[in-house]
Amino acid sequence: MSLQRLLIMAVMVMGMGSLLPAQGFYQGGSFALGVRNTANLFTEDGSAGIGAGGQFKIGFGPKVNTEWFYDYISSKPADFGFRQDHHIGWSVQFAPFKQGYGDKAFVPYFLGGQCFDLTRLRTQRSNGPLYDSGQIFSAAVQVGVGVSKFIGPRLELTLQGQYMVHLGKDAHFHQDEITGLNEVEVHNETSLAGHLLFTFSANYYLFNLWK
Amino acid sequence: MMQRKGILLLLALVLGFSVSGWSQAGVHKNMVQVQGTFGVGNNFHEWKYYVYGDLGFMASDHIEINGVIFANLGSSANDLTGVAEYISPNLFGQDYRTHSLFFGPRYHFMPNQPFDVYALVQPGVTLVHTQTVQSVGGFAAEPARNGLAPVFSVGGGLAYYGSFFHLFGETRFVAGGYYNEAYSIPLNEIRLAFGLGFNFN
């Protein structure tokens, strides 16, 4: 199952949501708990994978929502080995059009935010040497676009794509020119490295914090 | 004495749920449902057998907040070499189990009537446990491993509700993969669960 097919499935779920009724519950102060899946694509060394996590959301106004999330993402490079990412961060989601969130229609939004990341890469072939980057900490910023759809007054589905740029040690898989085998390379100097993430989430609005 | 009080309290609770739900049929707001049964999965290589359990609360007439557990009892094949993407001689005699936990919403299309159709989208995690089932000369070439893999699931089901019980059948597609430094195991699978559940109205 390719990640592209998963994204198509997520779009289909959002499309099915458009057939269901919705009324506006969302307003400033609304608090939601949610679950999410994230697809990690186009990492610079070719790693791709799926993540799962949770979030809470606090609305600051009809057009301004925020999400505070945790993701555990497990990815595989083109060859063998694995990459683990733990993301914890937050984003502001700004819906510029129409009446903002909670509208009956699909509501597009822009997002921007900040994130902290723990990354680990490991690889070993048969009884060969083990390459392990250890846990690498980095800070990141992300920007992207998404679409929100309310199904019923309190359940919100979102699908968003974002590019996340990490500032920290650069760790990536590297194919040895002679053996053709994967190795893990860690550069101690600080640098920028990014990846593209697509996130599907389901959020249930519980109460209003302002009231 | 305390035990007797506990049992009486439990009986009163069950009776209370039952009487309040006597005239109710179908899913509706504030209903709690519990299901425990068997399930099967197919990953296009083997059949896998599960104990299935779920617990759900109807937050509205249509929307259920639901958690599901699949505990893997075994499979029709006992060999990881047919499943893992990187085939190593070290994998000979290795098998694996996948235990999953999902959490998320279910949308019920037909509330307040006996027959119901629902759809679900639930992220989750799968605990992958590999183990040696056939060693060579008492020597296991590959160590036992435990790993946690994020997974995505989407699916739906049918149910028929009585006052206290319901019959259901559910299918879901699970996507994901378990990766370690030496090999990877695709976790893509179609799962089915069917049986009897309790509903507390």
Side-chain angles (χ1 to χ4, degrees):
Chain A
M1 170 64 56
S2 69
L3 293 174
Q4 285 84 354
R5 285 185 184 171
L6 274 179
L7 280 175
I8 291 169
M9 287 171 69
V11 170
M12 286 172 66
V13 168
M14 293 290 290
M16 283 171 62
S18 68
L19 304 173
L20 303 171
Q23 304 84 38
F25 169 83
Y26 175 86
Q27 54 186 306
S30 297
F31 177 87
L33 287 176
V35 289
R36 52 195 269 150
N37 273 120
T38 294
N40 173 31
L41 297 173
F42 306 123
T43 304
E44 287 175 0
D45 58 13
S47 300
I50 293 178
Q55 64 188 352
F56 66 86
K57 299 185 77 168
I58 299 173
F60 280 85
K63 295 185 175 184
V64 180
N65 205 344
T66 61
E67 64 173 10
W68 308 75
F69 60 87
Y70 167 76
D71 278 325
Y72 166 52
I73 303 172
S74 181
S75 307
K76 186 173 102 57
D79 204 343
F80 54 92
F82 75 92
R83 171 190 173 120
Q84 283 180 343
D85 288 283
H86 296 271
H87 286 166
I88 185 164
W90 62 280
S91 291
V92 176
Q93 301 168 323
F94 175 62
F97 305 117
K98 296 183 180 175
Q99 300 302 312
Y101 294 102
D103 195 359
K104 289 179 182 177
F106 287 94
V107 177
Y109 59 82
F110 299 102
L111 71 92
Q114 195 265 329
C115 175
F116 296 107
D117 182 20
L118 271 180
T119 302
R120 186 172 199 179
L121 287 73
R122 282 167 72 98
T123 186
Q124 182 181 34
R125 184 143 197 170
S126 292
N127 297 317
L130 170 67
Y131 297 95
D132 187 352
S133 69
Q135 296 283 11
I136 296 173
F137 174 80
S138 66
V141 292
Q142 69 268 9
V143 292
V145 293
V147 63
S148 159
K149 169 66 185 167
F150 272 77
I151 296 172
R154 292 172 183 260
L155 180 65
E156 179 196 30
L157 303 181
T158 69
L159 180 63
Q160 65 191 28
Q162 57 188 320
Y163 193 74
M164 185 176 281
V165 181
H166 294 267
L167 180 64
K169 286 182 186 175
D170 177 27
H172 59 264
F173 289 104
H174 168 77
Q175 198 166 33
D176 187 275
E177 290 176 359
I178 298 170
T179 64
L181 299 180
N182 257 10
E183 296 175 352
V184 172
E185 270 191 5
V186 181
H187 299 284
N188 282 325
E189 66 272 19
T190 300
S191 63
L192 292 171
H195 52 161
L196 188 62
L197 303 166
F198 287 92
T199 300
F200 174 81
S201 75
N203 309 286
Y204 193 78
Y205 285 86
L206 295 168
F207 49 81
N208 193 305
L209 289 169
W210 304 167
K211 293 179 179 175
Chain B
M1 192 63 181
M2 288 295 287
Q3 258 186 335
R4 189 180 294 174
K5 278 186 181 171
I7 291 168
L8 284 173
L9 184 64
L10 190 64
L11 280 173
L13 276 173
V14 170
L15 194 64
F17 279 129
S18 306
V19 169
S20 65
W22 188 262
S23 60
Q24 300 249 24
V27 292
H28 53 84
K29 188 176 180 181
N30 293 330
M31 190 173 96
V32 173
Q33 49 184 334
V34 184
Q35 292 160 167
T37 183
F38 293 100
V40 293
N42 191 293
N43 60 6
F44 314 106
H45 171 74
E46 61 186 338
W47 286 96
K48 301 170 83 172
Y49 308 108
Y50 295 97
V51 170
Y52 168 96
D54 85 45
L55 177 64
F57 171 71
M58 293 296 300
S60 72
D61 274 353
H62 288 281
I63 294 163
E64 177 187 358
I65 306 300
N66 174 269
V68 174
I69 187 166
F70 283 90
N72 191 192
L73 298 177
S75 63
S76 60
N78 282 316
D79 193 354
L80 196 52
T81 56
V83 181
E85 282 186 339
Y86 170 60
I87 309 302
S88 156
N90 290 356
L91 295 182
F92 177 75
Q94 295 282 311
D95 195 15
Y96 74 118
R97 298 280 182 268
T98 52
H99 311 292
S100 303
L101 194 63
F102 298 98
F103 189 80
R106 276 174 171 168
Y107 189 88
H108 294 265
F109 292 89
M110 301 162 73
N112 300 308
Q113 53 184 300
F115 186 70
D116 181 38
V117 179
Y118 62 88
L120 62 90
V121 185
Q122 294 183 327
V125 288
T126 291
L127 173 68
V128 178
H129 171 68
T130 67
Q131 60 191 0
T132 301
V133 292
Q134 187 178 352
S135 61
V136 180
F139 173 71
E142 186 70 25
R145 298 171 190 266
N146 287 303
L148 206 58
V151 286
F152 164 81
S153 76
V154 60
L158 306 170
Y160 187 84
Y161 285 85
S163 295
F164 317 110
F165 303 102
H166 59 272
L167 291 166
F168 79 99
E170 177 181 302
T171 183
R172 74 172 66 209
F173 176 72
V174 180
Y178 164 69
Y179 315 123
N180 64 40
E181 56 270 22
Y183 57 89
S184 61
I185 303 172
L187 299 176
N188 303 332
E189 195 174 318
I190 293 172
R191 294 187 186 175
L192 301 168
F194 40 85
L196 193 66
F198 298 92
N199 35 282
F200 303 105
N201 299 301

